[in-house]
Amino acid sequence: MANDYLQTPIEFLKGVGPQRVKVLQREFNIFTFSDLLYYFPFRHVDKATIYKVSDIQTEGNYMQFRGDITGYQILGEGRSKRIAAQFTDGTGTIELVWFSTSKWIEDMLAKWHHNVLIFGRPTLFNHRWSMSHPEIIDPNAEQRGNTITQHFFPLYNTSDKAKKAGLDTKGMAKLTAALLLDLRQRMIPETLSSEIIENHHLLSLKEALFQIHYPENQDLLTRATIRLKFEELFYTQLKLLKLKLLTERKLRGHIFARVGESFNYFYHHCLKFELTGAQKRVIKEIRADMGSGRQMNRLLQGDVGSGKTITALLVMLIANDNGFQSCLMAPTEILAQQHYENIARQLSGMDVKVALLTGSTKTADRKAIHEGLMDGSIRILIGTHALIENDVQFQNLGLAVIDEQHRFGVEQRAKLWKKNTTPPHILVMTATPIPRTLAMTVYGDLDVSVIDELPKGRKPIITKHLYEQDRNKMFYFLRQQVDAGRQVFVVYPLIQESEKMDLLDLQAGFEAMSRAFPLPRYAVGMVHGKMKNEVKDFEMQRFSRGETCILVSTTVIEVGIDIPNATVMVIENAERFGLSQLHQLRGRVGRGGEQSYCILMSGHKLSSDGKQRLDAMVATTDGFEIANFDLKLRGPGDLQGTQQSGVLDFKIADLVKDEKLVGYTRDLAKAVLEKDPNLSSPENQTLAINLQKLMKREKFWGLIS
Ligand code: ADP
Ligand code: MG
């Protein structure tokens, strides 16, 4: 029943009246004793050290001083009424200020003036040090020892509303102190098995909860932090892996047992290059998965240009060899078209029929495609989301590949599942490199394959950040490249709010380019999202065939487009793009054997974030490094594709900083489940109970991919 004690409603805690109950619930989601215990401080202040006033160098740090209060006055009138007291320790003075008057402050100042401890944040005011609302510690209290040891004082995040109810960081500290005092003699049930605690030298939960709020020393604070992070990450992984186990058991899949004629023929006669080691490895992983009898749910990550498409094609041929159709869904019309042309060209010598289905497919063609899918003559269908419409029925769909998955909504993907009585294998491809730690957590119940190697002979793209004043230099450079027969992308940002202005920018950019690169010697093209599809496609085709040397565009070209002769990517107003978008855009060049360049144009005024993003782009071309950097800059909640997951609200763990611990706890969770999948053995009792609690409020990521 000790367990229930932690579930006691927070209003039963000393010091929590009806008003505070509301504030605690609304502002911090604290409903029970347990919730308060898990409301961790974000930092601690070292109160073991006593500083000298002459030590103060900068504002903003919490510091403690010992000295005398030499006098105080009440100043101002009405709202600006305040109390100001003078404090000195012989090395300097600090003015102590309270912006409200109250009897107890005056009483205190009247009572204590010699040898007091003051604690707070010194700030500069009129060139003098002052401290507002300092804590003053009764010089006699230290001997009395009636509180929890407070060498390290906890600081809690609070809010304005909470502060009004007296729940500033000090107010919160009082509550946690009261609760912990109460819990001292009670039992706090352990949440990890004793085996895990012993093997990993972890603090007990009770010890950790005490030390995280009021640590006795730095070492114990560290150990408490590790124990609580460990617990949080371990259960996250245990939950995800358990869900995966459940899916695997539930979902039978088509068995692709053999690699047959079409794969082999293609591999030996049509493939124009040697696959990279990473591509080969990934194909093996996928083959093993599709042959296992379980439905595959796999995420294929690979940086832009790493060759995901050919990998997907080979896998689709395996499906074909086993008598199944496959489909490849791309997020945009242009991209679907390009995939189609590429794949149709590569398969032209073979008897594998490919079709393209998009929103703009004509009704008559559509009908023929529907028939070809039903009678099985079409083996591979490529398209946009048009291919998940209900009237698109397959004879026997065995594999669905989704390119650039973050562009698709969850419901759209779910529709693919229903295209066959046994759901098809699903391969989701993304070039948004999700850092491993995040992938493990967000897609923890999907399997992940990574192409972590670029095709041989690629030269790293050279990236430069230029300011407006260097524009002529940029033009000069473009001319050299164009005269050498290369092609250039120039990209402008387009954001919804000021769309009109952006389009004007784009138009102006196009005109400037056209003047600098005049007909008939040169030809400049333009595409943007507002154009009719036919016009857009026409422009894309012209560029793709090399009839235009420069393509001025918005980010419609961001995803997937493959034009190996393009060697320069100019990004205008680069500071307005997010990091992963910049990286995607840069990935449009550097696809052939020639040296490629990315030029980031910006004005002089840059936010520090903007500057950091551009610096990161210049510093590295590695998509995973970029993604990690992005994660640090923005936090995981903002990364593409992670928003819906809801698994990222960690209380204490940090996917970036605790990368090692994520991997470690995942391995441990795996080992535990391998030995005891149902957690039914006595030593896993604790784990089973806690996991069950977590599973109750769970979303099922694997089922919706
Ligand atoms: P992404 O992973 O960005 O989708 P693509 O599949 O578009 O990359 O491949 C980029 C380019 O690299 C294409 O022109 C493709 O033909 C080529 N490519 C793919 N794999 C290899 C390889 N192993 N060797 C040489 N070129 C390759
Ligand atoms: Mg691609």
Side-chain angles (χ1 to χ4, degrees):
M1 291 309 92
N3 195 4
D4 290 336
Y5 189 72
L6 287 188
Q7 296 312 316
T8 310
I10 196 69
E11 60 249 47
F12 291 98
L13 184 65
K14 213 178 103 206
V16 180
Q19 191 206 358
R20 285 188 171 185
V21 171
K22 270 193 210 133
V23 170
L24 287 171
Q25 292 180 347
R26 279 196 205 140
E27 298 291 296
F28 313 125
N29 260 323
I30 296 174
F31 288 83
T32 62
F33 284 6
S34 169
D35 294 337
L36 179 62
L37 277 183
Y38 278 85
Y39 194 77
F40 301 131
F42 64 91
R43 205 156 66 81
H44 290 85
V45 176
D46 179 2
K47 280 181 110 175
T49 312
I50 295 170
Y51 293 90
K52 294 277 172 226
V53 175
S54 58
D55 290 337
I56 311 175
Q57 285 181 345
T58 54
E59 295 188 304
N61 294 324
Y62 279 92
M63 296 172 94
Q64 178 169 254
F65 306 92
R66 186 191 291 280
D68 300 333
I69 292 174
T70 53
Y72 75 92
Q73 308 80 37
I74 294 175
L75 305 171
E77 284 296 325
R79 280 170 156 262
S80 63
K81 206 165 168 188
R82 60 192 190 276
I83 302 179
Q86 290 72 47
F87 169 91
T88 176
D89 69 351
T91 73
T93 61
I94 301 178
E95 182 158 75
L96 312 179
V97 188
W98 287 265
F99 291 100
S100 55
T101 53
S102 89
K103 182 104 177 41
W104 71 263
I105 298 172
E106 283 194 61
D107 282 353
M108 180 176 67
L109 289 171
K111 212 164 51 195
W112 307 336
H113 14 80
H114 185 56
N115 202 26
V116 296
L117 280 173
I118 64 162
F119 176 75
R121 270 201 284 204
T123 49
L124 266 183
F125 187 72
N126 282 340
H127 307 291
R128 285 161 51 192
W129 289 112
S130 87
M131 195 188 273
S132 54
H133 294 239
E135 189 185 341
I136 300 193
I137 296 154
D138 177 352
N140 305 313
E142 287 166 277
Q143 282 107 49
R144 275 195 249 126
N146 63 349
T147 51
I148 289 191
T149 353
Q150 291 190 5
H151 280 176
F152 287 85
F153 194 77
L155 296 180
Y156 299 91
N157 279 318
T158 68
S159 66
D160 286 345
K161 275 190 192 142
K163 280 178 191 151
K164 281 199 190 111
L167 294 176
D168 56 359
T169 181
K170 265 184 265 165
M172 291 299 287
K174 271 190 198 139
L175 294 189
T176 52
L179 179 56
L180 287 167
L181 271 176
D182 178 36
L183 287 173
R184 222 175 222 174
Q185 305 306 325
R186 294 178 191 272
M187 184 172 102
I188 293 183
E190 187 48 66
T191 47
L192 291 171
S193 65
S194 43
E195 193 187 342
I196 292 179
I197 291 179
E198 273 160 35
N199 287 348
H200 302 276
H201 309 289
L202 298 173
L203 291 185
S204 72
L205 178 61
K206 180 169 178 176
E207 180 75 18
L209 287 171
F210 272 78
Q211 299 294 343
I212 196 76
H213 290 280
Y214 294 95
E216 276 163 44
N217 55 47
Q218 187 60 50
D219 179 49
L220 280 166
L221 174 59
T222 308
R223 291 188 62 195
T225 310
I226 290 175
R227 148 78 212 213
L228 293 163
K229 285 181 172 183
F230 192 105
E231 172 174 332
E232 191 166 41
L233 291 170
F234 173 74
Y235 273 105
T236 307
Q237 296 301 338
L238 193 67
K239 182 179 66 186
L240 289 166
L241 290 168
K242 180 74 191 177
L243 283 173
K244 191 165 153 231
L245 266 183
L246 293 175
T247 340
E248 283 171 0
R249 220 175 282 169
K250 223 172 3 208
L251 297 167
R252 272 188 321 109
H254 304 293
I255 299 180
F256 293 178
R258 53 197 216 105
V259 168
E261 202 186 331
S262 64
F263 181 95
N264 284 326
Y265 185 87
F266 182 84
Y267 196 88
H268 295 294
H269 298 102
C270 309
L271 196 56
K272 284 198 264 0
F273 39 72
E274 172 81 9
L275 292 182
T276 62
Q279 284 170 320
K280 286 183 191 163
R281 190 194 66 236
V282 164
I283 290 172
K284 259 193 211 140
E285 286 168 5
I286 294 172
R287 259 190 63 196
D289 215 359
M290 296 192 308
S292 72
R294 282 183 275 105
Q295 186 219 15
M296 174 175 78
N297 263 295
R298 190 169 281 273
L299 178 73
L300 173 55
Q301 287 192 37
D303 207 346
V304 279
S306 63
K308 293 185 292 295
T309 318
I310 196 73
T311 309
L313 175 56
L314 282 160
V315 174
M316 292 194 286
L317 290 175
I318 297 179
N320 186 51
D321 285 337
N322 287 274
F324 288 91
Q325 295 163 293
S326 27
C327 67
L328 168 59
M329 181 161 78
T332 65
E333 183 112 13
I334 294 177
L335 200 55
Q337 175 101 28
Q338 191 183 325
H339 277 322
Y340 172 72
E341 278 160 19
N342 257 332
I343 288 176
R345 190 182 62 241
Q346 296 191 71
L347 294 178
S348 60
M350 291 172 58
D351 183 25
V352 178
K353 193 168 169 198
V354 188
L356 174 69
L357 182 68
T358 69
S360 56
T361 305
K362 302 232 165 53
T363 318
D365 298 338
R366 194 176 287 262
K367 226 178 133 207
I369 290 172
H370 285 180
E371 279 166 22
L373 290 173
M374 287 296 281
D375 67 21
S377 58
I378 295 174
R379 307 307 302 159
I380 295 177
L381 178 67
I382 294 168
T384 55
H385 51 267
L387 63 76
I388 52 173
E389 296 298 313
N390 288 333
D391 57 352
V392 181
Q393 296 291 334
F394 294 80
Q395 183 191 51
N396 201 2
L397 180 67
L399 167 70
V401 183
I402 304 172
D403 197 14
E404 310 294 350
Q405 56 83 32
H406 62 267
R407 295 294 176 110
F408 287 103
V410 161
E411 310 78 43
Q412 289 173 314
R413 283 180 257 147
K415 278 191 166 180
L416 278 170
W417 281 57
K418 307 210 178 95
K419 296 277 176 209
N420 204 342
T421 35
T422 300
H425 295 298
I426 306 271
L427 182 66
V428 169
M429 306 200 290
T430 179
T432 306
I434 301 159
R436 262 199 94 70
T437 45
L438 200 59
M440 274 181 192
T441 311
V442 179
Y443 301 112
D445 52 347
L446 298 189
D447 291 297
V448 180
S449 287
V450 185
I451 304 186
D452 49 5
E453 181 185 350
L454 291 180
K456 270 198 219 81
R458 293 273 173 82
K459 301 190 179 81
I461 300 165
I462 297 173
T463 304
K464 287 252 156 50
H465 173 197
L466 296 185
Y467 293 97
E468 206 42 51
Q469 76 222 36
D470 301 319
R471 188 162 285 276
N472 282 337
K473 246 198 239 167
M474 188 263 283
F475 274 108
Y476 181 76
F477 177 72
L478 294 193
R479 174 139 325 151
Q480 283 182 323
Q481 288 286 308
V482 168
D483 286 345
R486 316 270 177 268
Q487 288 168 283
V488 177
F489 289 106
V490 182
V491 176
Y492 281 82
L494 184 60
I495 49 172
Q496 230 61 44
E497 301 101 76
S498 57
E499 213 170 358
K500 274 211 186 104
M501 231 176 72
D502 284 336
L503 277 177
L504 287 181
D505 275 1
L506 180 77
Q507 187 70 37
F510 170 68
E511 280 160 20
M513 276 298 159
S514 303
R515 275 196 300 277
F517 294 87
L519 288 163
R521 179 150 183 215
Y522 306 101
V524 181
M526 171 166 76
V527 287
H528 57 77
K530 292 277 147 191
M531 282 174 165
K532 282 224 172 82
N533 277 338
E534 300 94 273
V535 184
K536 205 160 56 186
D537 287 347
F538 175 75
E539 284 291 342
M540 286 306 302
Q541 302 294 352
R542 286 213 305 157
F543 188 66
S544 163
R545 285 194 297 262
E547 292 164 20
T548 42
C549 55
I550 297 178
L551 185 66
V552 180
S553 79
T554 57
T555 51
V556 290
I557 55 125
E558 175 191 341
V559 172
I561 301 293
D562 187 34
I563 296 170
N565 191 47
T567 56
V568 188
M569 167 62 66
V570 179
I571 306 177
E572 297 283 353
N573 297 113
E575 76 280 6
R576 281 172 56 186
F577 291 91
L579 248 187
S580 64
Q581 215 179 2
L582 288 171
H583 182 67
Q584 280 286 319
L585 286 169
R586 177 167 61 183
R588 297 308 109 219
V589 297
R591 305 187 140 237
E594 300 297 335
Q595 177 63 56
S596 290
Y597 305 86
C598 175
I599 302 175
L600 307 166
M601 299 297 298
S602 85
H604 263 287
K605 260 200 196 152
L606 283 176
S607 69
S608 96
D609 263 19
K611 178 80 167 65
Q612 284 189 56
R613 284 197 296 271
L614 300 187
D615 287 350
M617 284 293 291
V618 172
T620 180
T621 53
D622 182 322
F624 284 90
E625 255 181 66
I626 297 260
N628 264 321
F629 191 80
D630 207 21
L631 192 60
K632 277 176 199 147
L633 216 58
R634 298 199 291 165
D638 280 345
L639 278 191
Q640 275 173 331
T642 63
Q643 289 91 339
Q644 318 104 309
S645 72
V647 294
L648 298 172
D649 327 325
F650 290 106
K651 282 193 158 54
I652 188 165
D654 177 324
L655 287 180
V656 180
K657 290 192 201 131
D658 303 325
E659 189 171 352
K660 279 216 181 92
L661 206 50
V662 175
Y664 194 68
T665 50
R666 183 174 176 84
D667 290 345
L668 178 64
K670 239 185 209 161
V672 168
L673 285 174
E674 252 157 42
K675 245 170 80 187
D676 183 12
N678 295 319
L679 300 177
S680 50
S681 70
E683 68 263 25
N684 286 334
Q685 196 57 29
T686 318
L687 302 186
I689 292 169
N690 284 290
L691 181 61
Q692 203 175 17
K693 281 190 210 155
L694 284 173
M695 294 289 240
K696 271 190 197 148
R697 41 188 152 106
E698 201 30 58
K699 273 201 202 145
F700 214 150
W701 188 260
L703 274 178
I704 51 178
S705 58

Coordinates of all heavy atoms in Angstrom, one line a residue, residues 62-103:
Y62 N 23.7 32.7 -8.9 CA 23.3 32.6 -7.5 C 24.5 32.5 -6.6 O 25.4 31.7 -6.9 CB 22.4 31.4 -7.2 CG 21.0 31.6 -7.6 CD1 20.5 31.2 -8.9 CD2 20.1 32.2 -6.7 CE1 19.2 31.4 -9.3 CE2 18.7 32.4 -7.1 CZ 18.3 32.0 -8.4 OH 17.0 32.2 -8.7
M63 N 24.6 33.3 -5.6 CA 25.7 33.3 -4.7 C 25.3 33.5 -3.3 O 24.2 34.1 -3.0 CB 26.7 34.4 -5.1 CG 27.3 34.3 -6.5 SD 28.3 35.7 -7.0 CE 29.9 35.2 -6.5
Q64 N 26.2 33.1 -2.4 CA 25.9 33.2 -0.9 C 27.0 34.0 -0.3 O 28.1 33.9 -0.6 CB 25.8 31.8 -0.4 CG 25.5 31.8 1.1 CD 25.2 30.4 1.5 OE1 24.1 30.0 1.8 NE2 26.2 29.5 1.5
F65 N 26.6 34.9 0.6 CA 27.5 35.8 1.3 C 27.2 35.8 2.8 O 26.1 35.6 3.2 CB 27.4 37.2 0.8 CG 27.5 37.4 -0.7 CD1 26.4 37.3 -1.5 CD2 28.8 37.5 -1.3 CE1 26.5 37.4 -2.8 CE2 28.9 37.6 -2.6 CZ 27.8 37.6 -3.4
R66 N 28.3 36.0 3.6 CA 28.1 36.1 5.1 C 28.5 37.5 5.5 O 29.6 38.0 5.1 CB 28.9 35.1 5.8 CG 28.6 35.1 7.3 CD 29.6 34.2 8.1 NE 29.4 32.8 7.8 CZ 28.4 32.0 8.4 NH1 27.6 32.5 9.2 NH2 28.3 30.7 8.1
G67 N 27.7 38.2 6.3 CA 28.1 39.6 6.7 C 27.0 40.2 7.5 O 26.1 39.5 8.1
D68 N 27.0 41.5 7.6 CA 26.1 42.2 8.4 C 25.1 43.1 7.6 O 25.5 43.6 6.6 CB 26.9 43.2 9.4 CG 27.8 42.4 10.2 OD1 27.6 41.2 10.5 OD2 28.9 43.0 10.6
I69 N 23.9 43.2 8.2 CA 23.0 44.2 7.6 C 23.1 45.5 8.4 O 22.9 45.4 9.7 CB 21.5 43.6 7.6 CG1 21.5 42.4 6.6 CG2 20.5 44.7 7.2 CD1 20.2 41.7 6.7
T70 N 23.4 46.5 7.8 CA 23.7 47.7 8.5 C 22.6 48.7 8.6 O 22.6 49.7 9.4 CB 24.9 48.5 7.9 OG1 24.6 48.7 6.5 CG2 26.2 47.7 8.0
G71 N 21.5 48.5 7.9 CA 20.3 49.4 8.1 C 19.3 49.1 7.0 O 19.6 48.4 6.0
Y72 N 18.1 49.6 7.1 CA 17.1 49.5 6.0 C 16.2 50.6 6.0 O 16.0 51.3 7.0 CB 16.4 48.1 6.1 CG 15.4 48.0 7.2 CD1 14.0 48.4 7.0 CD2 15.7 47.7 8.5 CE1 13.1 48.3 8.0 CE2 14.8 47.6 9.5 CZ 13.4 47.9 9.2 OH 12.5 47.9 10.2
Q73 N 15.6 50.9 4.8 CA 14.6 52.0 4.7 C 13.4 51.5 3.9 O 13.5 50.6 3.1 CB 15.2 53.2 4.0 CG 16.5 53.7 4.5 CD 17.6 52.9 4.0 OE1 17.7 52.4 2.9 NE2 18.6 52.7 4.9
I74 N 12.3 52.1 4.1 CA 11.1 51.9 3.3 C 11.1 53.0 2.3 O 11.0 54.2 2.7 CB 9.8 51.7 4.1 CG1 9.9 50.5 4.9 CG2 8.6 51.6 3.1 CD1 8.8 50.2 5.8
L75 N 11.1 52.8 1.0 CA 11.1 53.8 0.0 C 9.9 53.8 -0.9 O 9.2 52.8 -1.0 CB 12.4 53.6 -0.9 CG 13.7 53.5 -0.2 CD1 14.8 53.1 -1.2 CD2 14.1 54.8 0.4
G76 N 9.6 54.9 -1.6 CA 8.6 55.0 -2.5 C 7.2 55.0 -1.9 O 7.0 54.8 -0.7
E77 N 6.2 55.1 -2.8 CA 4.8 55.2 -2.4 C 4.0 54.2 -3.2 O 4.3 53.9 -4.3 CB 4.3 56.6 -2.7 CG 4.8 57.7 -1.7 CD 4.3 57.5 -0.3 OE1 3.2 57.0 -0.1 OE2 5.1 57.8 0.7
G78 N 2.9 53.8 -2.7 CA 1.9 53.0 -3.4 C 2.6 51.8 -4.0 O 3.3 51.0 -3.3
R79 N 2.4 51.7 -5.4 CA 2.9 50.5 -6.1 C 4.4 50.4 -6.1 O 4.9 49.3 -6.2 CB 2.4 50.5 -7.5 CG 1.0 50.1 -7.7 CD 0.5 50.4 -9.1 NE -0.6 49.4 -9.4 CZ -0.4 48.3 -10.1 NH1 0.7 48.0 -10.6 NH2 -1.5 47.6 -10.3
S80 N 5.1 51.5 -6.0 CA 6.5 51.4 -6.1 C 7.2 51.3 -4.6 O 8.4 51.5 -4.5 CB 7.1 52.6 -6.8 OG 6.8 53.8 -6.2
K81 N 6.3 51.1 -3.7 CA 6.8 51.0 -2.3 C 7.7 49.8 -2.2 O 7.4 48.7 -2.7 CB 5.7 50.9 -1.4 CG 5.9 51.3 0.0 CD 4.6 51.5 0.7 CE 4.8 51.7 2.2 NZ 3.5 51.6 3.0
R82 N 8.9 50.0 -1.6 CA 9.8 48.9 -1.4 C 10.7 49.0 -0.2 O 10.8 50.1 0.4 CB 10.7 48.7 -2.7 CG 11.5 50.0 -3.0 CD 12.1 50.0 -4.4 NE 13.1 51.0 -4.5 CZ 12.8 52.3 -4.8 NH1 11.5 52.6 -5.0 NH2 13.7 53.2 -4.9
I83 N 11.3 47.9 0.1 CA 12.2 47.9 1.3 C 13.7 47.8 0.7 O 13.9 46.9 -0.1 CB 12.0 46.8 2.3 CG1 10.6 46.8 2.8 CG2 13.0 46.8 3.4 CD1 10.2 45.7 3.7
A84 N 14.6 48.6 1.2 CA 16.0 48.5 0.8 C 16.8 48.4 2.0 O 16.7 49.2 2.9 CB 16.4 49.7 -0.1
A85 N 17.7 47.4 2.0 CA 18.6 47.2 3.1 C 20.0 47.2 2.7 O 20.3 46.8 1.5 CB 18.2 45.9 3.9
Q86 N 21.0 47.5 3.5 CA 22.4 47.5 3.1 C 23.1 46.4 3.8 O 22.9 46.2 5.0 CB 23.0 48.9 3.5 CG 22.6 50.0 2.7 CD 21.1 50.5 3.0 OE1 20.8 50.6 4.2 NE2 20.3 50.7 2.0
F87 N 23.8 45.7 3.0 CA 24.6 44.5 3.5 C 26.0 44.7 3.2 O 26.4 45.1 2.1 CB 24.0 43.2 2.8 CG 24.9 42.0 3.0 CD1 24.6 41.2 4.1 CD2 25.9 41.7 2.2 CE1 25.3 40.0 4.3 CE2 26.7 40.5 2.4 CZ 26.4 39.7 3.5
T88 N 26.9 44.3 4.1 CA 28.3 44.4 3.8 C 29.1 43.2 4.5 O 28.6 42.7 5.5 CB 29.0 45.7 4.3 OG1 30.4 45.7 4.1 CG2 28.7 45.9 5.8
D89 N 30.1 42.8 3.8 CA 30.9 41.7 4.4 C 32.4 42.2 4.6 O 33.3 41.4 4.7 CB 30.8 40.4 3.6 CG 31.5 40.6 2.2 OD1 31.9 41.7 1.9 OD2 31.7 39.6 1.5
G90 N 32.5 43.5 4.5 CA 33.9 44.0 4.7 C 34.6 44.2 3.4 O 35.6 45.0 3.3
T91 N 34.2 43.4 2.3 CA 34.9 43.6 1.0 C 34.1 44.4 0.1 O 34.6 44.8 -1.0 CB 35.2 42.2 0.4 OG1 33.9 41.7 -0.1 CG2 35.8 41.2 1.3
G92 N 32.9 44.7 0.4 CA 32.0 45.5 -0.4 C 30.6 45.5 0.1 O 30.3 44.8 1.1
T93 N 29.7 46.3 -0.6 CA 28.3 46.3 -0.1 C 27.4 45.9 -1.2 O 27.6 46.0 -2.4 CB 27.9 47.7 0.3 OG1 28.0 48.6 -0.8 CG2 28.8 48.2 1.5
I94 N 26.2 45.4 -0.8 CA 25.2 45.0 -1.7 C 23.9 45.6 -1.1 O 23.6 45.6 0.1 CB 25.0 43.4 -1.8 CG1 26.2 42.8 -2.2 CG2 23.8 43.1 -2.7 CD1 26.1 41.2 -2.3
E95 N 23.1 46.1 -2.0 CA 21.8 46.6 -1.6 C 20.7 45.5 -1.7 O 20.6 44.9 -2.8 CB 21.3 47.8 -2.4 CG 20.0 48.4 -1.9 CD 19.8 49.8 -2.3 OE1 19.5 50.0 -3.5 OE2 19.9 50.7 -1.4
L96 N 20.0 45.2 -0.7 CA 19.0 44.2 -0.7 C 17.7 44.8 -0.9 O 17.4 45.8 -0.2 CB 19.0 43.3 0.6 CG 20.4 42.9 1.1 CD1 20.2 42.1 2.4 CD2 21.1 42.0 0.1
V97 N 16.9 44.3 -1.9 CA 15.6 45.0 -2.2 C 14.5 44.1 -2.2 O 14.6 43.0 -2.7 CB 15.7 45.7 -3.6 CG1 14.5 46.5 -3.8 CG2 17.0 46.5 -3.7
W98 N 13.4 44.5 -1.6 CA 12.1 43.8 -1.7 C 11.1 44.7 -2.3 O 10.9 45.8 -1.8 CB 11.6 43.3 -0.3 CG 12.5 42.2 0.3 CD1 12.2 40.9 0.3 CD2 13.7 42.3 1.1 NE1 13.1 40.2 0.9 CE2 14.1 41.0 1.4 CE3 14.5 43.4 1.5 CZ2 15.2 40.8 2.2 CZ3 15.6 43.1 2.2 CH2 16.0 41.8 2.5
F99 N 10.5 44.2 -3.4 CA 9.5 45.1 -4.0 C 8.1 45.0 -3.5 O 7.1 45.2 -4.2 CB 9.5 44.8 -5.5 CG 10.8 45.3 -6.2 CD1 11.8 44.3 -6.5 CD2 11.1 46.6 -6.5 CE1 13.0 44.7 -7.0 CE2 12.3 47.0 -7.0 CZ 13.2 46.1 -7.3
S100 N 8.0 44.6 -2.3 CA 6.8 44.7 -1.6 C 7.1 44.8 -0.1 O 8.2 44.4 0.3 CB 6.0 43.4 -1.8 OG 6.8 42.3 -1.4
T101 N 6.3 45.3 0.6 CA 6.6 45.5 2.0 C 5.8 44.4 2.8 O 4.7 44.1 2.4 CB 6.3 46.8 2.6 OG1 4.9 47.1 2.3 CG2 7.1 47.9 1.9
S102 N 6.4 43.8 3.7 CA 5.6 43.0 4.5 C 6.2 42.9 5.9 O 7.3 43.2 6.2 CB 5.6 41.6 3.9 OG 6.6 40.8 4.4
K103 N 5.3 42.6 6.8 CA 5.7 42.7 8.2 C 6.9 41.8 8.5 O 7.8 42.1 9.2 CB 4.4 42.3 9.1 CG 4.6 42.4 10.5 CD 3.9 43.7 11.1 CE 4.0 43.8 12.6 NZ 5.2 43.4 13.2

